């Protein structure tokens, strides 16, 4: 039985929006799912095989708030990834950290710049990879946030797909490795309708499989 920590919920991205996706991705016969809003649950679940985070590092960016992934959390998590735990950072989980934060410099290798008003966003596959297997270019079924990202180290990541809108083209899906761990970052996904559409679910299922292979 594999185990996943599914981390959700912040001011702009409520856990109830994301929960339907968790039910689609994980069979109760194969997975133990810890669905939580509390990052500190990591300390009681160091036996996980995978962490999926939709959670903004700042719980509420409307008021001065420190990031919750502090030195203790970072050290614990990086050791887990280095030993082979997989990590999928989705949408808000790729935001609000500066270039020198350990999760950025070791795992994400990109920083969020901004996003324009919600608009039609498409995902365009740009590289053959197991995460893109069976995925055709698609447009999200409702308007989404088109994240504008600054890639910091293109030699440490592989960009698999771009997000495309009237606001241009951005890196939208990329992977990297850290020690024995595999990392996947995927920037769209602001609404339940987007999260459960066929193309999105296929990418997420493939990403789970790919991130888990380091442990096989």
């Amino acid at each position: 039985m594999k185990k996943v920590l599914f981390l959700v919920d912040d001011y702009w991205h409520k856990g109830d929006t994301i929960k339907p996706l968790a039910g689609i991705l994980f069979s109760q016969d194969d997975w133990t799912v810890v669905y939580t809003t509390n990052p500190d649950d990591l300390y009681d679940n160091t036996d996980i095989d995978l962490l999926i985070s939709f959670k903004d590092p700042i719980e509420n960016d409307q008021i001065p708030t420190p990031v919750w992934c502090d030195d203790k959390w970072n050290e614990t998590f990086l050791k887990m990834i280095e030993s082979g735990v997989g990590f999928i950072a989705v949408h808000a989980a790729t935001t609000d950290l500066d270039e020198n934060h350990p999760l950025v410099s070791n795992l994400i290798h990109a920083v969020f710049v901004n996003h324009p008003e919600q608009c039609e966003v498409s995902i365009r596959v740009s590289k053959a990879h197991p995460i893109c297997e069976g995925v055709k270019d698609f447009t999200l079924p409702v308007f989404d946030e088109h994240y504008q990202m600054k890639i910091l180290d293109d030699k440490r990541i592989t960009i698999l797909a771009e997000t495309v809108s009237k606001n241009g083209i951005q890196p939208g899906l990329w992977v990297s490795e850290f020690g024995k761990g595999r990392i996947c970052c995927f920037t769209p996904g602001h609404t339940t309708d987007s999260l459960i559409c066929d193309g999105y679910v296929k990418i997420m299922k493939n990403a789970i499989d790919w991130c888990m292979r380091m442990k096989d």
Side-chain angles (χ1 to χ4, degrees), residues 108-195:
I108 299 174
H109 305 297
V111 292
F112 171 78
V113 179
N114 57 45
H115 69 75
E117 290 186 3
Q118 293 184 34
C119 61
E120 184 177 271
V121 178
S122 299
I123 287 83
R124 185 169 69 192
V125 175
S126 57
K127 189 175 182 65
H129 188 275
I131 292 179
C132 299
E133 187 174 348
V135 178
K136 297 180 180 179
D137 297 353
F138 64 98
T139 299
L140 296 173
V142 296
F143 280 10
D144 208 274
E145 293 174 344
H146 190 194
Y147 277 15
Q148 315 290 294
M149 304 296 297
K150 176 185 176 183
I151 298 296
L152 301 178
D153 190 347
D154 59 7
K155 295 181 176 60
R156 297 184 67 181
I157 69 168
T158 301
I159 296 175
L160 306 182
E162 300 161 329
T163 47
V164 183
S165 79
K166 65 181 182 180
N167 299 292
I169 300 171
Q170 291 290 320
L173 174 68
W174 63 92
V175 293
S176 62
E177 298 182 10
F178 182 71
K180 296 180 180 179
R182 286 180 167 181
I183 301 97
C184 177
C185 300
F186 191 30
T187 63
H190 189 68
T191 68
T192 302
D193 287 341
S194 291
L195 297 177

Side-chain angles (χ1 to χ4, degrees), residues 74-92:
N74 298 334
E75 182 178 0
T76 301
F77 187 50
L78 287 174
K79 286 180 179 177
M80 292 168 62
I81 299 297
E82 197 167 22
S83 70
V85 171
F87 177 40
I88 302 176
V90 188
H91 198 53

